[in-house]
Amino acid sequence: MAWIALEGMKFHAFHGVYEAEQILGTDYSVNVYVKTGIARAAATDDLVATVNYESIFHICRLEMEQPRKLIETVLANIIARMKHQFPEMQALRIRLYKMNPPIGGQVESAWVEEELEFVTSCPRCKSPFICYNDDSCWCRSVPNIHPATRETLERQFGKKCLCANCLKLYAG
């Protein structure tokens, strides 16, 4: 496994609870780290087989362009887009800095960071697999599983996702 990183992305954005922040804007910096396999990309020399850091930049840019009151909201939205764009992520760490926050004193930055691990064990067969464990998870949209079967699986395994091999056993 490898970490693919994009550090020091700079943006001027209009996030904040104060009216001045929403009008004048503030400078921000974002660091993103994605843990993923790179063997196939290295062997094929194919950009499609890896996490494209240009895509990471555009995801961050798109979210930074949407004014929000809280940088926590911006961070959560970047994470949601990353999950959608890169289904092979094994882990993700993002730190979002707000430079010179207007808090009545001299402060270089305020920041929020989230670190997520996506590799889990199947509760049925114990095999490791990637799971986002939320509504964006691939297993939520597996077709051909009868609603009664889904209900039985939920009773047996709770809200935990099953791996693809185990889900295939239940799909019609």
Side-chain angles (χ1 to χ4, degrees):
M1 290 305 108
W3 286 96
I4 294 176
L6 209 53
E7 296 181 316
M9 291 179 275
K10 305 289 186 203
F11 302 97
H12 187 81
F14 300 89
H15 310 302
V17 294
Y18 299 117
E19 186 177 355
E21 294 176 292
Q22 297 168 8
I23 294 170
L24 300 173
T26 307
D27 291 327
Y28 294 84
S29 181
V30 182
N31 297 337
V32 175
Y33 305 87
V34 177
K35 186 177 183 181
T36 189
I38 62 168
R40 189 168 61 101
T44 62
D45 201 28
D46 186 1
L47 181 61
V48 175
T50 190
V51 173
N52 182 342
Y53 50 79
E54 184 177 12
S55 297
I56 294 172
F57 176 82
H58 288 298
I59 287 169
C60 293
R61 181 184 53 81
L62 287 170
E63 284 306 321
M64 293 303 290
E65 289 174 352
Q66 300 298 315
R68 306 276 191 239
K69 289 182 181 176
L70 301 177
I71 59 176
E72 291 87 339
T73 305
V74 177
L75 183 72
N77 290 338
I78 291 171
I79 290 168
R81 285 183 186 254
M82 294 287 293
K83 287 178 176 179
H84 179 73
Q85 183 70 31
F86 304 113
E88 297 300 317
M89 287 189 304
Q90 294 187 4
L92 175 65
R93 186 172 68 234
I94 302 175
R95 184 178 289 183
L96 172 58
Y97 296 88
K98 182 176 201 170
M99 310 311 289
N100 304 308
I103 59 173
Q106 190 172 1
V107 176
E108 184 177 308
S109 67
W111 55 268
V112 61
E113 178 177 278
E114 180 118 29
E115 186 169 346
L116 302 161
E117 294 284 333
F118 302 124
V119 177
T120 189
S121 299
C122 177
R124 184 177 176 276
C125 71
K126 308 300 182 221
S127 296
F129 70 105
I130 295 172
C131 178
Y132 294 150
N133 202 17
D134 62 16
D135 289 335
S136 70
C137 193
W138 61 272
C139 71
R140 301 274 195 259
S141 61
V142 173
N144 303 328
I145 297 181
H146 192 275
T149 304
R150 283 192 188 274
E151 188 177 307
T152 300
L153 291 172
E154 190 168 313
R155 273 197 313 272
Q156 188 172 1
F157 302 109
K159 295 286 186 184
K160 295 182 179 178
C161 296
L162 299 174
C163 70
N165 290 333
C166 288
L167 273 180
K168 286 178 191 174
L169 295 173
Y170 297 101

